[in-house]
Amino acid sequence: MKQELLRILPEVSKPARYTNQELHAVHKDWERTAVRMALAFPDTYEIGMGNLGFKILYHIINQRPDALAERVYMPWVDMQQKMKEQDLPLTALESGKPLADFDIVGFTLQYELSFSNIVKMLDLAGIPRLSAERGSSDPLVIAGGPCAYNPEPLADFLDCVVLGDGEEVINELLDLVKHCKEQGIGRQAALLKLAQIPGVYVPRFYEIKYTDQGTIKTILKTEDSAPDRIQKRVVADLDQAPFPDTMVVPYLQTVHDRVMVEVMRGCTRGCRFCQAGMIYRPVRERSVETVKKQALELLDKTGYEQVSLTSLSTGDYSKVERLVTELAAECRMRGVSVSLPSLRVDSFSVKLAEEIEKFKKTGLTFAPEAGTQRLRDVINKNVREEDLYEAVEAAFSSGWHLIKLYFMIGLPTETYEDLDGIAALARNVLEIGRRSMPTSGKRPTVNISVASFVPKPGTPFQWEAFNDQEVLLAKFSYLRKRLKHPGIKFNTHDVRTSYLEAVFSRGDRRLGRVLARAVDLGCQFDGWNEHFRYDLWMQAFRDACVDSEFYAYRRRGADEILPWEHLLSGVSKKFLWLERERAYQGITTDDCRFSGCTGCRVCQDLGVANRLQGGEQIE
Amino acid sequence: MSKNVRLRFSVGEPGRFISHLDVLRLMSRAVRRAGLPIAYSQGFSPTPRLAFASSLPVGVTSAAEYVDLQLNTPVEWEQVKNRLNDVLPDGFRILAGAALPEKYPPLMSLITTARYQIKVLGEAPDLEKKTADLTASGQILASVKRKNKEEQVDVRGLIDSLAYDPLQRLIELQCASGVQANLRPMDLLPLLGLELRDVLIHRTDLLIKAGAGRLLTPFDV
């Protein structure tokens, strides 16, 4: 470790964020490695270390003899201050080399509220902010992740963006960068070559023209050889996909500080608000054998006390019962517990949870999302009130005393009846608890968490308006009054952060100026309440002469060209619009795993299919 | 062979930068990686039976940390040491060990004293005089953080000895350490005109005061 760094570490909070040397961190010979990539997470070490995608890429890249991957996270504000005082640039953990010395700096786009941190990290690294300002000695700044389906607010800052499953494209990208480096191919020419890789989007080769009303008139290609549209890459067979055989074990506690094994990718339940449920299609399951093998090997190598079976909805894994039973039995012998991060709203899920948490029953979380059947049909959250009541009854009578329920407000077609529905559900769940729990001992508690709905690109609700902030505040206070009840706790999300998320999730390139200005004004860590500065953000919009309400509050028309029109997740726009219409008619759409094809086009257009281990697939 | 084993371990770079809770987690994971037959506590969330002698302040290195392990089957302490050293991350090293009897008092309740060497990195004028003046005075008011509040506390009674060796640029400190009375060595720095970044603090011994001014190591009891 650098001596300068060692001296300032005792004076910053949680210094082990910056020390590196963790167990299983990979240190390669810098000089003898042809391509060097920094995996950059635009949030703290503790948050970033919990990201599974990062671990997968770290593994794949470091397995190559000719490439190395190192990690870098956003330094906390106290560390930034010390770095500034000592004139230290942002460095990667493993080698301690400045970020600017890498060939590639790859950011993950997990949520819109981390965009300011990306710009800030470039600043801290001394890398020119704008793609157009970078020269041959600067790293290639790339990005991937869920927000890549609309990276337009970041278009000016990024050299290229990768759409879809990273493990499909990373090797082609490294091969090409290595080739360009060896051949001395210049930046512009290299970007032209990169644009030829399927799934790689180079924003500078597209020009956006706007109408007088401010909507998009055309998205023009400025280079003939660039593709008209960029389609996501997809791993066809997850069971064969590379997965880390070991994981870095941090010195200090991080989020998801446990073994994570991805049991499946994708979800076809078809909730109309859910971006992940659209962009990660189709459903691909790992086999029970592979998951067990990976879990046990990782437990042996890391010594973790818990293994988490991750996916968007692990209760939907076709062999979940067998997997959980067998794995929990193996784990009990090792003093290890199994966790399921996402539960379906039904009594089957409670039975599963019971299987793994025989003793420690803290809380169970369910997400009905909306308060009435009518609105749940609109959003295609196919949960019936009876399912919820059955699930919580099973939970309370098996010894759980805390039930957490997640809801959203501001959904399309929502009325105050739907809010009354949330309050009624909460009270009924509490009532069930009082009825079904033993009278002695702990009393039942219901936690109600309510967030504001944010329309996301690539979903059937991508055309919808974000609810007015005043309206949302009124709805929250309406709910608060109705949920004032002993035994019910009510949590809300900050409406202003949701508003900013709504602006950026469907923003276009004109927001780049706002972002740059906001960072100049001091905005960073927008996802952290103590750092979020709504006033500075509003000033940035004013200074850049950009109307934020245009992006948040406006309902888009069917014919409007959307900023991400040229970026394809495989789910067709026609299907999304049809789903939107069905939403307004209150018609639900089935899960294609259990009924026929619903026509989203992913399988046909990408040449893939749902791959289930249970063989329940219907042609 | 015994089912109970006491180990002495060192904390170096970068291990010194983590909290006691992190050390606890790190050691449990190492024990599991080493495949040692560790005993687990009974109850809702079983935890491995590891007991530490003291918590080391963040930023301080040490050659004298102790942990007691309870195993389900007897293992030679040398083997426990070797198997742990194979799997411990940088900054942690098992140095020595001893078998413990079936029943023994918790180590944490026994420890009374610690010795530190404070290496002075930069310029530090008059340290010989400053340390001598401090030890000569009847009262030493230090600013101590308690429950997130700065308090002025008289720490004179906590200091056994304090001296500066100009040749090695080392401050030698012996002071109270443990559950009854405790002094964090960094709390003395401002009184010596030093800042945290000017020094490297290293714990050399963790001791138990016996009768007649005798000091025992955890392996002697």
Side-chain angles (χ1 to χ4, degrees):
Chain A
M1 205 183 321
K2 291 266 169 58
Q3 215 50 46
E4 303 96 304
L5 192 60
L6 264 184
R7 288 193 68 176
I8 55 179
L9 282 184
E11 297 172 4
V12 299
S13 57
K14 300 192 180 177
R17 289 163 168 167
Y18 315 107
T19 55
N20 117 63
Q21 303 293 119
E22 306 104 312
L23 184 79
H24 303 318
V26 181
H27 295 86
K28 288 197 161 184
D29 186 336
W30 178 271
E31 294 304 329
R32 290 193 190 165
T33 308
V35 207
R36 302 149 189 159
M37 178 163 176
L39 295 170
F41 198 99
D43 210 316
T44 61
Y45 176 87
E46 298 94 292
I47 306 281
M49 280 295 285
N51 184 273
L52 185 59
F54 245 49
K55 293 178 198 288
I56 295 174
L57 287 176
Y58 188 74
H59 166 75
I60 296 176
I61 300 168
N62 280 323
Q63 278 218 314
R64 286 174 63 128
D66 60 347
L68 65 79
E70 301 194 3
R71 296 159 299 144
V72 60
Y73 303 90
M74 176 75 159
W76 194 243
V77 284
D78 59 349
M79 185 61 172
Q80 290 177 27
Q81 184 59 38
K82 298 281 172 195
M83 287 163 59
K84 200 173 159 191
E85 284 168 21
Q86 306 287 316
D87 207 17
L88 295 173
L90 185 59
T91 52
L93 282 178
E94 283 81 353
S95 65
K97 295 270 186 194
L99 227 49
D101 290 357
F102 283 79
D103 300 310
I104 309 168
V105 174
F107 283 99
T108 178
L109 309 177
Q110 292 293 319
Y111 31 84
E112 291 82 359
L113 295 175
S114 68
F115 286 1
S116 59
N117 279 12
I118 293 179
V119 177
K120 184 79 190 178
M121 282 174 87
L122 290 174
D123 288 356
L124 292 170
I127 297 170
R129 273 184 186 179
L130 299 178
S131 172
E133 290 171 353
R134 283 178 215 130
S136 51
S137 62
D138 292 312
L140 198 66
V141 178
I142 73 171
C147 294
Y149 293 95
N150 180 26
E152 289 302 278
L154 289 167
D156 295 342
F157 305 90
L158 300 174
D159 296 317
C160 60
V161 180
V162 174
L163 268 63
D165 297 331
E167 53 267 77
E168 275 297 293
V169 70
I170 187 69
N171 282 319
E172 293 164 39
L173 195 119
L174 292 172
D175 287 341
L176 185 61
V177 171
K178 184 183 164 193
H179 170 78
C180 291
K181 205 176 153 186
E182 282 165 358
Q183 303 295 314
I185 293 167
R187 202 173 180 87
Q188 181 78 1
L191 285 170
L192 271 171
K193 284 180 183 293
L194 278 164
Q196 303 305 313
I197 299 178
V200 174
Y201 167 48
V202 181
R204 70 164 64 177
F205 298 146
Y206 303 82
E207 194 189 331
I208 318 297
K209 295 234 189 275
Y210 302 93
T211 64
D212 293 341
Q213 289 75 46
T215 54
I216 292 173
K217 195 166 159 193
T218 50
I219 298 175
L220 279 174
K221 249 186 353 177
T222 57
E223 285 290 341
D224 285 342
S225 65
D228 294 334
R229 281 154 184 259
I230 298 92
Q231 187 150 60
K232 82 166 179 198
R233 295 293 291 272
V234 53
V235 168
D237 182 359
L238 196 69
D239 205 44
Q240 299 299 318
F243 197 75
D245 53 8
T246 188
M247 283 177 184
V248 176
V249 183
Y251 282 101
L252 77 164
Q253 193 169 25
T254 61
V255 303
H256 307 310
D257 193 14
R258 56 182 82 101
V259 166
M260 283 185 276
V261 181
E262 189 184 21
V263 298
M264 69 176 170
R265 197 172 296 178
C267 174
T268 45
R269 296 216 138 220
C271 299
R272 291 174 178 134
F273 56 86
C274 178
Q275 191 186 35
M278 297 291 155
I279 63 177
Y280 289 117
R281 290 175 178 216
V283 174
R284 292 143 290 161
E285 297 185 340
R286 277 205 165 89
S287 67
V288 173
E289 286 68 30
T290 307
V291 172
K292 269 170 60 186
K293 186 174 148 282
Q294 289 171 344
L296 296 177
E297 184 177 3
L298 285 166
L299 285 168
D300 284 345
K301 285 193 180 163
T302 59
Y304 271 123
E305 51 288 319
Q306 193 174 51
V307 52
S308 173
L309 301 173
T310 75
S311 75
L312 292 170
S313 170
T314 302
D316 286 333
Y317 177 64
S318 60
K319 293 280 181 193
V320 67
E321 210 170 352
R322 196 189 129 202
L323 173 64
V324 166
T325 312
E326 292 182 13
L327 190 61
E330 295 254 15
C331 286
R332 254 190 295 276
M333 297 189 298
R334 302 164 185 240
V336 168
S337 66
V338 180
S339 78
L340 296 174
S342 46
L343 283 180
R344 249 170 23 195
V345 186
D346 55 25
S347 44
F348 170 73
S349 301
V350 177
K351 209 180 114 202
L352 276 180
E354 171 89 46
E355 181 66 41
I356 55 174
E357 298 204 23
K358 287 210 173 2
F359 304 107
K360 193 177 158 194
K361 285 170 171 150
T362 43
L364 272 191
T365 305
F366 299 107
E369 309 289 5
T372 59
Q373 196 58 51
R374 184 202 67 79
L375 189 53
R376 283 194 298 275
D377 287 346
V378 167
I379 63 176
N380 205 41
K381 180 86 193 182
N382 294 326
V383 169
R384 294 171 309 154
E385 207 160 317
E386 305 90 87
D387 298 332
L388 177 68
Y389 294 155
E390 268 176 34
V392 296
E393 176 150 14
F396 282 127
S397 28
S398 336
W400 275 279
H401 60 91
L402 171 64
I403 298 292
K404 296 183 204 167
L405 299 177
Y406 284 0
F407 293 97
M408 275 186 288
I409 60 165
L411 287 161
T413 78
E414 180 183 67
T415 67
Y416 274 77
E417 269 177 41
D418 301 304
L419 303 185
D420 291 336
I422 294 177
L425 278 184
R427 290 224 202 102
N428 291 341
V429 166
L430 187 68
E431 193 46 47
I432 292 171
R434 294 201 169 141
R435 218 174 43 224
S436 38
M437 271 180 75
T439 40
S440 60
K442 288 212 158 109
R443 306 184 126 257
T445 306
V446 182
N447 274 8
I448 306 291
S449 273
V450 184
S452 306
F453 162 67
V454 175
K456 293 282 163 130
T459 68
F461 290 158
Q462 65 180 355
W463 293 275
E464 298 304 311
F466 178 72
N467 239 191
D468 199 279
Q469 286 194 57
E470 299 297 320
V471 174
L472 286 169
L473 288 172
K475 287 178 177 173
F476 275 132
S477 74
Y478 181 88
L479 268 178
R480 185 168 293 113
K481 273 194 213 117
R482 270 146 197 85
L483 289 170
K484 225 180 219 152
H485 202 277
I488 297 180
K489 276 188 196 148
F490 178 56
N491 306 306
T492 62
H493 279 241
D494 184 0
V495 168
R496 296 169 314 166
T497 50
S498 299
Y499 176 79
L500 191 68
E501 187 184 332
V503 172
F504 273 88
S505 73
R506 293 180 299 164
D508 56 39
R509 292 187 180 186
R510 290 170 294 187
L511 292 183
R513 292 202 314 272
V514 181
L515 186 54
R517 179 70 186 139
V519 175
D520 286 341
L521 291 170
C523 292
Q524 57 171 330
F525 285 116
D526 295 315
W528 296 73
N529 273 337
E530 67 263 47
H531 288 294
F532 181 61
R533 291 289 305 272
Y534 188 71
D535 55 332
L536 294 182
W537 269 107
M538 289 306 113
Q539 189 190 331
F541 280 106
R542 278 194 305 274
D543 293 352
C545 299
V546 170
D547 173 17
S548 61
E549 298 191 357
F550 172 83
Y551 296 95
Y553 293 154
R554 194 172 52 86
R555 179 189 273 194
R556 280 70 163 167
D559 302 325
E560 184 171 330
I561 297 174
L562 302 167
W564 53 93
E565 198 80 32
H566 52 312
L567 306 173
L568 309 179
S569 73
V571 177
S572 78
K573 193 175 178 185
K574 227 172 111 187
F575 173 78
L576 294 177
W577 184 262
L578 182 74
E579 277 293 288
R580 180 191 171 278
E581 291 197 313
R582 291 164 72 91
Y584 278 94
Q585 292 157 16
I587 302 171
T588 60
T589 298
D590 286 336
D591 185 330
C592 63
R593 274 174 293 192
F594 316 120
S595 67
C597 171
T598 54
C600 81
R601 299 293 308 168
V602 164
C603 294
Q604 294 83 353
D605 292 355
L606 299 177
V608 289
N610 285 341
R611 289 180 88 115
L612 308 186
Q613 297 298 324
E616 294 94 334
Q617 193 183 348
I618 287 172
E619 290 301 321
Chain B
M1 272 199 287
S2 168
K3 280 191 186 180
N4 301 326
V5 172
R6 175 163 297 165
L7 300 169
R8 187 174 121 228
F9 66 95
S10 63
V11 178
E13 307 289 357
R16 68 178 172 119
F17 290 116
I18 65 175
S19 71
H20 182 60
L21 214 63
D22 293 326
V23 175
L24 214 139
R25 235 186 322 262
L26 181 146
M27 221 28 109
S28 317
R29 287 172 186 167
V31 164
R32 209 175 278 117
R33 286 196 297 274
L36 291 168
I38 191 80
Y40 284 89
S41 66
Q42 303 298 306
F44 284 167
S45 46
T47 47
R49 289 209 182 266
L50 301 178
F52 290 81
S54 84
S55 63
L56 186 68
V58 174
V60 177
T61 58
S62 174
E65 298 307 296
Y66 294 85
V67 61
D68 293 344
L69 275 63
Q70 291 184 24
L71 304 171
N72 284 325
T73 49
V75 184
E76 296 281 2
W77 71 260
E78 289 91 344
Q79 217 201 341
V80 176
K81 174 187 159 213
N82 293 340
R83 280 164 69 176
L84 277 175
N85 277 340
D86 285 345
V87 298
L88 276 169
D90 285 6
F92 292 87
R93 207 76 206 139
I94 311 291
L95 305 171
L100 285 174
E102 185 85 6
K103 289 214 181 289
Y104 56 94
L107 191 49
M108 197 168 256
S109 66
L110 300 180
I111 300 294
T112 57
T113 306
R115 282 195 191 127
Y116 297 94
Q117 289 183 335
I118 303 170
K119 176 91 182 156
V120 181
L121 300 170
E123 285 308 303
D126 303 331
L127 266 183
E128 258 179 294
K129 184 172 165 349
K130 278 181 188 156
T131 50
D133 286 353
L134 270 188
T135 40
S137 56
Q139 190 192 40
I140 302 175
L141 284 180
S143 180
V144 172
K145 227 184 199 171
R146 277 189 191 160
K147 289 177 188 152
N148 282 326
K149 262 180 29 196
E150 291 279 334
E151 263 179 60
Q152 289 289 321
V153 180
D154 181 11
V155 297
R156 181 64 192 89
L158 303 178
I159 299 172
D160 296 337
S161 64
L162 175 69
Y164 179 64
D165 174 355
L167 282 177
Q168 296 193 70
R169 304 178 66 82
L170 271 185
I171 301 169
E172 304 259 12
L173 169 69
Q174 182 179 314
C175 63
S177 184
V179 284
Q180 281 100 25
N182 193 61
L183 176 69
R184 284 160 28 101
M186 43 279 279
D187 290 337
L188 287 182
L189 295 179
L191 302 174
L192 300 169
L194 293 167
E195 280 188 66
L196 208 45
R197 65 165 66 187
D198 302 327
V199 297
L200 283 176
I201 309 175
H202 181 63
R203 188 189 265 176
T204 56
D205 297 279
L206 212 48
L207 302 161
I208 299 147
K209 270 189 181 144
R214 273 194 322 139
L215 285 168
L216 304 177
T217 79
F219 288 138
D220 302 329
V221 289

